[in-house]
Amino acid sequence: MNACLEIRSPGLGVSIQDAGRHAYRHIGVPLSGALDPVFLAAANGMLGNPADAAGLEVLLAGPVLEALHAPVRVALAGGMGAWRRSPSGSRLSVPAWSTLTLGAGEQLHVGGPRGVGYIAVEGGLLTAPLLGSRSTYARAGLVHPGTLLPCQAAREHVGERWNTPLLHEIGPIRVILGPQDEHFTAAALEAFLSQPFRITRERDRMGMRLAGPLLAHSARGADIASDGITPGAIQVPADGQPILLLADCQTVGGYPKIATVISADLPRLAHLQPGETIHFCAVDADGAAVARLAQAHRLADWLAAARPAHAADQPDTALLLAANLAGAAVRGDDPHLWTD
């Protein structure tokens, strides 16, 4: 039989994602794909996969997975630890940012990430593509049916790897103004680029609502003829509060867009939590291209720095203890968790 992972517990906010569904926006199908494609590429890179191979995205609580029929090699990216359970019931902690091989019958219990995390599988998840992508888009029913995730068997004699956490840039979120910035007053544009905005609880994979200074519209008003929408677009309806669109956003919209987040900063948005604040700053297309190239270099340098996962190289337990583990909903510092 072919190797596969069985989903023993689905977790919360867990979905299959790859680089997205690029060829169908003209018929109203959103892009979807990983909210943080850099972290997905990091997990895939540690396994030798293509950067856009399909993996599991974890937003709230991680899943419980069991290898069936053959060993399966996986990688964790993001601030989430895990533990593995053998068929005999023994347990072993697994640090974030590492790879491991699950033997047939072994389970992987993954904790909840800080922001978003990814579970990659050697060879990628081999689910049936839907409209050219394996990405989940639940609103349209583009989901993988069932609880078995087909994948390839782990290669023999491949050493496990571990790396320090991959960090995104810090500072303001960079945007290119427009394409409808003329629909806003000069004061609104100044406030948008100088004042903080708070992340509200109204957020999902489609987008997030921000709260901050009123962004007043000019005489052109708060409506436009509906036109194309892309992830990163920042719409401002009549109430003057921005809506920042993410991977599952609609393909057209009728609110004016004050700016669009550059592609290099889109992954950072996936890690923002309700109550946090962000600032925006404007760049031009050349600045956006430089930022994207720098991001690619950081990822390549990070992958080159991966080390064999010897015990002496493991990080301390702080990262593991920060995660709530799926199933029992307990923290990693509960004394009974690591005992047989």
Side-chain angles (χ1 to χ4, degrees), residues 176-178 180-181 184 188-189 192 215 234 236 256-260:
I176 295 177
L177 290 176
Q180 286 99 27
D181 49 315
F184 301 90
L189 290 170
F192 175 71
L215 301 180
I234 303 174
V236 184
K257 296 171 285 295
I258 194 170
T260 302

Side-chain angles (χ1 to χ4, degrees), residues 91-114:
R91 303 183 184 191
L92 180 67
S93 64
V94 179
W97 304 103
S98 68
T99 71
L100 72 151
T101 300
L102 290 174
E106 286 191 315
Q107 292 182 357
L108 180 68
H109 296 239
V110 183
R114 293 181 58 84

